[in-house]
């Protein structure tokens, strides 16, 4: 079956390609009778516009960019799966862009979205502002997912990261731990910052100070968690905390691997709580105690927000906050003196 182009449609009907385009997009300059004739014909021949050609000609496409930090992380891949499935069902093409939290790469993706006239972009970025302004100036809809920063005026969907850090730490405190370390994420990540503030608040509520306690930083990768775990085991036992809050499951998995490899036992020697509740966290033998952000719900809400932003420019701006929940498994236990 022949695949019709806009040139074919224009030639068969004896009109210009611009006329066909105006008729399809509901723009003025085409009479009612001719518009009906064009729409009827393209329905009969099942003409579908070429999005790339449309992009290069300056027209808005149905492309939506999803800029993620690390698609290898199951948290991000699950998020991408649900966003893509939902928006595909609504007629949009989701283009997944993996930045590895590299700010220059994120900038290049945004510039590409502008150049190719994307309809919208969902951002999960390492940066704290700036990219969304570039997009909105070009009338490209923007939604933040799992990220937010002061001054952002668009829609977003995030987890309550302060509460996440608070409930993770409170779980350990309720088990009797008082020497609780923390492994944070990227220095400029507001999510990491808020989880740490929740940790500090929980400790301070019991009169415990944190400035002298074990604190390391990671880049959210498993291999980095492994390296931190090796350094942790090299510390004298008296300098190790009895429990630790770790910024995400991937870092925690690498950390746990190093601890076990060097003869440590979890939770007998060290209780661990992390964040994200990726699918592998519940696998027998891992059984990681972690804080869930309800990734499916977060993804679907972000997809709905970007669709509304594209299709209804006068839409109501929404900041949706997902309530985190602690999933207690087998990496924590009541404190006992060593």
């Amino acid at each position: 079956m022949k695949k019709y182009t806009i040139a074919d449609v224009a030639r068969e009907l004896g009109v210009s390609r611009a006329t066909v385009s105006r008729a399809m997009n509901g723009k003025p300059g085409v009479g009612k009778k001719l518009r009906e004739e064009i729409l009827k014909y393209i329905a009969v021949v099942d003409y579908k516009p070429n999005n790339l050609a449309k992009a290069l000609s300056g027209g808005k496409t149905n492309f939506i960019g999803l800029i993620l930090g690390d698609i290898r992380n199951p948290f991000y891949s699950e998020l991408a799966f649900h966003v893509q499935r939902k928006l595909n069902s609504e007629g949009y093409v989701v283009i997944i862009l993996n930045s590895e939290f590299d700010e220059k790469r994120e900038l290049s993706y945004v510039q590409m979205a502008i150049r190719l006239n994307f309809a919208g972009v969902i951002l999960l970025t390492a940066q704290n502002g700036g990219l969304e302004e570039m997009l909105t100036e070009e009338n490209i809809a923007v939604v933040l997912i799992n990220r937010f920063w002061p001054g952002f005026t668009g829609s977003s969907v995030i987890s309550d990261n302060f509460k996440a850090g608070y409930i993770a730490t409170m779980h350990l405190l309720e088990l009797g731990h008082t020497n609780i370390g923390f492994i944070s994420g990227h220095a400029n990540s507001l999510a990491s910052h808020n989880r740490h503030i929740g940790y500090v608040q929980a400790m301070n509520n019991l009169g415990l100070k944190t400035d002298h306690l074990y604190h390391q930083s990671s880049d959210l990768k498993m291999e980095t968690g492994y390296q931190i775990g090796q350094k942790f085991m090299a510390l004298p036992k008296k300098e190790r905390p009895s429990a630790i809050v770790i910024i995400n499951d991937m870092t925690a998995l690498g950390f746990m691997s190093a601890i076990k490899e060097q003869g440590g036992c979890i939770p007998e020697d060290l209780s661990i709580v992390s964040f994200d509740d990726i699918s592998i966290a519940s696998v027998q033998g891992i059984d990681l105690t972690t804080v869930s952000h309800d990734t499916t719900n977060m993804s679907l809400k972000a997809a709905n927000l970007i669709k509304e932003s594209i299709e209804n420019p006068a839409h109501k701006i929404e900041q949706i906050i997902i309530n985190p929940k602690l999933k207690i498994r087998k990496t924590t236990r009541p404190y006992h003196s060593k």
Side-chain angles (χ1 to χ4, degrees):
M1 183 176 178
K2 178 179 178 178
K3 185 175 181 180
Y4 278 72
T5 67
I6 193 170
D8 294 328
V9 174
R11 184 173 57 255
E12 291 292 335
L13 295 176
V15 298
S16 69
R17 286 183 292 178
T19 298
V20 175
S21 178
R22 285 196 294 270
M24 291 179 61
N25 292 294
K27 293 184 177 180
V30 184
K32 181 180 178 181
K33 184 177 180 180
L34 179 57
R35 186 186 305 276
E36 291 175 351
E37 183 180 351
I38 292 172
L39 295 178
K40 182 178 179 180
Y41 184 80
I42 64 177
V44 169
V45 301
D46 194 29
Y47 164 67
K48 293 181 176 61
N50 184 317
N51 269 299
L52 184 57
K54 188 176 182 181
L56 295 174
S57 67
K60 275 287 182 286
T61 67
N62 65 342
F63 296 158
I64 294 177
L66 175 59
I67 300 179
L68 298 172
D70 188 350
I71 198 65
R72 297 173 301 173
N73 185 328
F75 174 76
Y76 299 125
S77 56
E78 183 177 352
L79 186 152
F81 173 83
H82 291 293
V83 167
Q84 187 172 56
R85 171 187 270 185
K86 173 62 178 176
L87 289 172
N88 283 354
S89 72
E90 299 288 350
Y92 291 97
V93 176
V94 177
I95 298 175
I96 298 170
L97 302 163
N98 184 51
S99 74
E100 296 185 47
F101 292 109
D102 182 293
E103 293 189 3
K104 290 182 179 179
R105 190 176 300 178
E106 289 175 352
L107 176 60
S108 72
Y109 288 153
V110 166
Q111 292 170 334
M112 180 189 74
I114 293 170
R115 188 169 63 252
L116 295 180
N117 297 292
F118 279 27
V121 172
I122 299 175
L123 278 172
L124 198 166
T125 171
Q127 303 187 44
N128 287 330
L131 297 180
E132 82 287 353
E133 294 178 3
M134 296 174 60
L135 293 163
T136 53
E137 285 175 0
E138 299 293 333
N139 295 315
I140 296 175
V142 182
V143 166
L144 300 184
I145 184 169
N146 202 41
R147 289 290 187 277
F148 187 78
W149 46 79
F152 178 65
T153 58
S155 292
S156 62
V157 53
I158 61 172
S159 176
D160 186 337
N161 284 299
F162 171 85
K163 183 176 181 180
Y166 185 85
I167 63 176
T169 310
M170 281 303 302
H171 171 60
L172 295 171
L173 291 168
E174 289 165 356
L175 291 173
H177 297 276
T178 55
N179 184 359
I180 303 171
F182 193 91
I183 297 177
S184 59
H186 297 281
N188 60 350
S189 167
L190 193 59
S192 176
H193 175 73
N194 286 340
R195 289 174 192 174
H196 183 254
I197 294 298
Y199 153 81
V200 171
Q201 184 65 60
M203 297 288 282
N204 288 350
N205 283 354
L206 272 68
L208 302 170
K209 302 299 182 182
T210 60
D211 53 2
H212 65 290
L213 297 179
Y214 181 83
H215 186 182
Q216 297 289 315
S217 296
S218 79
D219 56 7
L220 310 181
K221 297 177 181 179
M222 184 184 291
E223 50 265 38
T224 304
Y226 179 83
Q227 292 166 6
I228 294 173
Q230 288 182 313
K231 294 177 181 177
F232 180 88
M233 291 300 288
L235 293 173
K237 287 187 178 181
K238 64 180 181 180
E239 295 182 17
R240 300 175 195 168
S242 65
I244 193 162
V245 178
I246 302 180
I247 194 62
N248 74 331
D249 290 347
M250 293 297 285
T251 303
L253 291 173
F255 184 88
M256 290 165 60
S257 177
I259 300 299
K260 293 177 180 179
E261 185 179 278
Q262 297 191 38
C265 295
I266 300 169
E268 290 79 8
D269 298 328
L270 178 69
S271 286
I272 293 174
V273 182
S274 62
F275 305 88
D276 289 350
D277 193 27
I278 61 176
S279 56
I280 196 174
S282 60
V283 170
Q284 186 174 5
I286 296 176
D287 297 303
L288 178 60
T289 296
T290 183
V291 178
S292 170
H293 308 297
D294 194 354
T295 311
T296 301
N297 187 29
M298 181 183 289
S299 305
L300 295 178
K301 288 188 181 300
N304 287 330
L305 286 174
I306 195 70
K307 179 178 181 292
E308 181 68 13
S309 298
I310 293 167
E311 298 177 5
N312 180 17
H315 71 287
K316 178 183 176 182
I317 302 298
E318 293 186 67
Q319 278 86 42
I320 298 173
I321 299 177
I322 303 295
N323 190 38
K325 294 182 179 179
L326 180 68
K327 299 292 184 72
I328 300 174
R329 298 193 179 104
K330 297 180 180 180
T331 58
T332 57
R333 61 170 288 176
Y335 172 73
H336 63 98
S337 57
K338 300 176 183 179

